[in-house]
Amino acid sequence: MDLFTYREFETPQRTLLADRMRPETLDEYIGQEHIVGPGKLLRRAIEGDQVSSIVLYGPPGCGKTTLAHIISKRTAGEFVKLNAVDASVKDVREVIEQARMNKSMYGRKTTLFLDEVHRFNSSRQDALLPAVEQGLIVFIGATTENPFHYVNGALLSRSTLFQLHKLTKRHALEAMRRALADKDRGLGFMNLQVDEEALDHIASMAGGDIRRALNALELAAVTTPSRPDGSVHITLEVAQESIRMPTVKADESTQYDVLSAFHKSVRGSSDAALFWFLYAVEKLGMDPMVFIRRLIVACSEDIGLANPQAMVQAVTAMDAYHKIGWPEAKYNIAQAILFAVESPKSNAVATAIGRVADEIERLGAAEVPLHLRDTHYRGAEQLGHVGYKYPHDYPGHYVKQQYLPDASGERTFYEATEQGTEERIRQNQQRRRKADS
């Protein structure tokens, strides 16, 4: 089959209900009103056949491929689909070469729809870039993964990003009711009686994935024995057999987002921190150690000396996890999480690190003051390594002297806060400064 005259969506009889019911126009399209509602930019571009290079980003079943299908119906040029799972650089270059010919000989534009663009490695994405820059092809990429992680920056910068939202139970119900009423493409030709609670269950279990909802409805319709009058009754029990609880996908972007939510929750919400930890481990299958390590970091970054015991709790929880494993250690880890969240907070440690890093960058190179240099060898005194004052020989075990490089003077990096036990450190700092003055 000629790759360049082939239109992916104009295939012979489709077998699956979700394919048969795929919207042909924007008026049939369900959801995503924020980008294809009346008067919206993408809608105007599709209706006017003026779609430029775009990236469609959203969860499975939210309508990315359907939008590409609608664009393929509206464009007067060539429309080619490749799937990044099995497409090669050779395939991309063939599309580009044919697009060059179409443009020069016939003045026709070529639109390339690359499904699952996140599966394309960097070199294959690079092969697309010159053709996009030269206007040889209109690029449409679809991805379920964060495009800022998986799409080359140069290609992304030359495309308009449209984020599609997860569809809701309402959208799934609308799609199923359309299918039940449509006698040509849907299930309207059957004598179906579908209980409302059955539809409600399928819509809930589909998790916003219309394809999944329609496939479950079709499975229920064609596998349920008909009654004597020829009708088919789909009950809640039938619906429950037709669709199971969706499997949550823990892709790399999701893991980063959940881990971020966990750390941010440690700063302010015991309930949320515990929720994100258990959701990630028990629902997404993430490694508990990822969260224990982040918790240990947070105990210094966000709590620090305001409650030093938070670090002890976190490290002890890590030790417990190594010794007794999951799921028993969830109690120890949960205890450490709650202890950290309920501790007084201070970012003084993190702030001090940042200030020191800035000073190191400013200095470039730092020389150790003579009185702080090593004296454990003969000749050190001749080199001038003298003048160090031993603090324990002075009242309060403290004496003022220079510790920083000459170029830094008397800079202050660590400023204790009034939070928790750090208040005692703050008072001690104030006493020292008063004694120094």
Side-chain angles (χ1 to χ4, degrees):
M1 182 178 292
D2 185 349
L3 172 66
F4 307 106
T5 58
Y6 168 63
R7 292 184 178 233
E8 153 70 15
F9 304 108
E10 296 176 359
T11 54
Q13 177 65 36
R14 303 180 184 118
T15 56
L16 294 177
L17 177 63
D19 287 327
R20 299 198 306 272
M21 289 301 299
R22 189 184 296 280
E24 300 291 320
T25 66
L26 287 173
D27 290 335
E28 294 180 353
Y29 190 75
I30 297 175
Q32 313 305 339
E33 290 85 359
H34 65 291
I35 59 173
V36 292
K40 296 297 182 179
L41 172 65
L42 186 55
R43 186 186 189 99
R44 298 197 310 270
I46 293 173
E47 291 176 337
D49 192 14
Q50 296 296 319
V51 175
S52 58
S53 292
I54 60 175
V55 173
L56 303 173
Y57 164 47
C62 68
K64 300 182 297 297
T65 305
T66 297
L67 265 182
H69 172 61
I70 292 171
I71 292 171
S72 76
K73 294 291 185 180
R74 297 287 303 193
T75 184
E78 298 298 324
F79 190 96
V80 181
K81 176 183 177 181
L82 293 177
N83 192 301
V85 173
D86 50 28
S88 65
V89 172
K90 181 176 179 291
D91 295 326
V92 171
R93 287 174 177 163
E94 286 179 355
V95 173
I96 294 172
E97 188 55 38
Q98 186 64 38
R100 192 187 313 276
M101 186 181 303
N102 287 337
K103 186 174 183 179
S104 62
M105 295 182 65
Y106 309 110
R108 289 170 62 84
K109 68 178 180 180
T110 298
T111 301
L112 170 62
F113 174 51
L114 186 58
D115 204 3
E116 299 187 79
V117 64
H118 57 274
R119 299 289 191 92
F120 245 30
N121 62 30
S122 182
S123 64
R124 287 189 287 177
Q125 290 186 31
D126 285 341
L128 277 170
L129 190 57
V132 174
E133 289 178 329
Q134 297 165 21
L136 289 177
I137 64 171
V138 175
F139 167 68
I140 301 176
T143 178
T144 57
E145 312 295 343
N146 189 328
F148 293 100
H149 294 165
Y150 291 92
V151 180
N152 284 4
L155 186 58
L156 191 58
S157 69
R158 288 160 178 78
S159 307
T160 303
L161 175 63
F162 290 98
Q163 183 172 3
L164 283 71
H165 300 322
K166 182 177 180 179
L167 297 180
T168 66
K169 177 180 175 180
R170 173 179 64 84
H171 296 120
L173 284 170
E174 180 181 350
M176 287 190 290
R177 290 195 172 103
R178 282 190 191 178
L180 290 171
D182 193 316
K183 295 182 179 180
D184 297 321
R185 297 186 294 165
L187 300 174
F189 66 93
M190 297 180 65
N191 186 3
L192 286 175
Q193 177 189 342
V194 185
D195 292 347
E196 191 62 30
E197 59 184 3
L199 286 177
D200 190 81
H201 175 77
I202 293 175
S204 297
M205 290 297 100
D209 189 331
I210 285 182
R211 171 179 287 276
R212 195 163 183 263
L214 292 177
N215 287 343
L217 178 64
E218 184 174 38
L219 179 64
V222 301
T223 60
T224 302
S226 58
R227 294 184 292 192
D229 63 356
S231 65
V232 174
H233 183 201
I234 299 177
T235 63
L236 174 61
E237 290 72 26
V238 172
Q240 289 172 336
E241 291 179 346
S242 302
I243 188 169
R244 304 296 180 185
M245 183 67 71
T247 301
V248 180
K249 181 185 177 186
D251 57 76
E252 188 175 352
S253 297
T254 299
Q255 293 186 37
Y256 282 133
D257 289 342
V258 171
L259 190 58
S260 175
F262 168 75
H263 191 159
K264 290 168 181 172
S265 298
V266 167
R267 295 170 180 152
S269 171
S270 290
D271 299 323
L274 202 56
F275 171 85
W276 289 118
F277 166 65
L278 292 174
Y279 173 76
V281 175
E282 299 195 331
K283 188 72 173 179
L284 302 183
M286 293 177 67
D287 184 356
M289 272 303 299
V290 172
F291 292 86
I292 299 173
R293 286 194 293 267
R294 182 59 66 93
L295 179 65
I296 292 173
V297 172
C299 285
S300 288
E301 181 182 348
D302 298 299
I303 300 170
L305 294 170
N307 188 359
Q309 285 299 313
M311 174 75 77
V312 176
Q313 288 276 339
V315 173
T316 302
M318 179 177 67
D319 187 47
Y321 174 68
H322 286 317
K323 289 178 177 177
I324 66 177
W326 191 267
E328 290 81 0
K330 75 169 66 174
Y331 300 101
N332 313 107
I333 302 169
Q335 174 182 320
I337 291 171
L338 295 175
F339 189 90
V341 179
E342 298 304 329
S343 291
K345 301 296 189 299
S346 170
N347 70 338
V349 171
T351 301
I353 291 173
R355 288 170 178 167
V356 170
D358 290 342
E359 180 67 3
I360 292 171
E361 184 68 22
R362 186 186 72 84
L363 292 177
E367 290 193 5
V368 177
L370 291 175
H371 66 284
L372 296 183
R373 296 187 185 187
D374 182 25
T375 59
H376 293 86
Y377 60 91
R378 291 176 61 186
E381 188 172 339
Q382 289 179 266
L383 295 175
H385 299 186
V386 293
Y388 174 65
K389 299 174 184 178
Y390 188 52
H392 299 294
D393 291 337
Y394 294 84
H397 298 255
Y398 170 77
V399 61
K400 181 181 179 181
Q401 63 185 321
Q402 179 185 342
Y403 287 100
L404 286 169
D406 292 340
S408 293
E410 296 183 359
R411 294 287 299 275
T412 298
F413 301 121
Y414 173 60
E415 291 277 5
T417 70
E418 298 178 0
Q419 290 289 92
T421 60
E422 206 169 41
E423 166 65 12
R424 293 165 57 189
I425 300 173
R426 188 181 71 86
Q427 293 174 1
N428 189 46
Q429 286 181 327
Q430 289 177 341
R431 282 194 297 269
R432 287 181 175 179
R433 288 168 186 160
K434 187 175 181 180
D436 291 343
S437 60

